[in-house]
Amino acid sequence: MVTDVVPELLENIQRDFNAAIRRSVKLQRIQEMIENGTATYKQANEYAIEVGEALARTFQVYIKSETLPDGKMYYNIAERVLNPTLRNNHIIVAQVSSQIQEQLNRSVGLGLRGIEPPVNQLRIDSIINRVVAEEEFDKVAWILQEPIVNFTQSVVDDTIKTNVEFQGESGLGPRIMRSAHGNPPCDWCRSMEGVYKYPDVPEGVYKRHDRCRCVVEYYPGDSEEIRRQNVWSKEWSGN
Ligand SMILES: [Zn+2]
């Protein structure tokens, strides 16, 4: 009888991942910033990278050709290991990002809740399909490294997109700023730099290649207009 490797594999991965998350000084620092209302999408992005790297590290430790049947990542193993772990990264990062979104909304007087994006199951499926395509897992082990970080970062970008579209459809004019980072940033990332106002937001603003550390930030809807209104209302009440 062939033993099912998944229960033990999953248990090891989840245990180590949870321990790494609990121990992370960076995550604690960002959590404090969220609690005192000073976090922005820069911190959401850092948070996602840290969570993504923590999961990638546990994959590196526990998922290897030598521990897999026939040295291959079978679909039924990939699916049962990657679905819960990647979905968990989505839940953690979507929650933090939407909390930050809500604070940004409040900072300009918008009483809107931060909205969490849905899980991007297509991206999870695509990682699963790539990793099962090779006969020997070690040849595709890299797919469970940087692409896992990239997937986790995309939850932040999806949160911005979801909230920008919601606010835009509600008649506000939310803005997004993308700044290139990296040394030096690639031509594509440089070309995507800028401030975009809904609905003139190219889809590429929310996309990133592996190892891309560009920061996409949300500028709360119509903040200038709201500021101007506040100035006016003060002037009016002063008269
Ligand atoms: Zn980039």
Side-chain angles (χ1 to χ4, degrees), residues 148-165:
I148 299 303
V149 179
N150 193 287
F151 166 82
T152 313
Q153 283 176 288
S154 78
V155 179
V156 179
D157 302 324
D158 285 351
T159 307
I160 301 179
K161 184 173 189 244
T162 302
N163 283 276
V164 160
E165 288 177 354

Side-chain angles (χ1 to χ4, degrees), residues 100-159:
I100 290 174
Q101 176 72 49
E102 193 159 312
Q103 291 178 350
L104 291 171
N105 289 347
R106 224 176 282 143
S107 73
V108 290
L110 287 175
L112 292 171
R113 228 167 41 81
I115 307 165
E116 292 184 17
V119 178
N120 191 337
Q121 189 62 43
L122 281 177
R123 279 196 66 149
I124 296 179
D125 291 344
S126 141
I127 291 172
I128 293 171
N129 290 330
R130 284 158 75 198
V131 94
V132 300
E134 184 70 43
E135 277 306 309
E136 195 189 331
F137 171 74
D138 283 349
K139 285 191 181 147
V140 282
W142 65 271
I143 294 168
L144 297 189
Q145 294 303 304
E146 183 59 23
I148 299 303
V149 179
N150 193 287
F151 166 82
T152 313
Q153 283 176 288
S154 78
V155 179
V156 179
D157 302 324
D158 285 351
T159 307

Side-chain angles (χ1 to χ4, degrees), residues 178 181 189 209 212-214:
R178 178 165 174 141
H181 292 266
C189 283
H209 53 79
C212 170
R213 296 294 182 260
C214 294

Side-chain angles (χ1 to χ4, degrees), residues 178-182 185-186 188-190 207-209 211-215:
R178 178 165 174 141
S179 46
H181 292 266
C186 71
W188 183 77
C189 283
R190 234 190 269 270
K207 294 196 158 64
R208 52 178 79 245
H209 53 79
R211 292 180 206 287
C212 170
R213 296 294 182 260
C214 294
V215 177

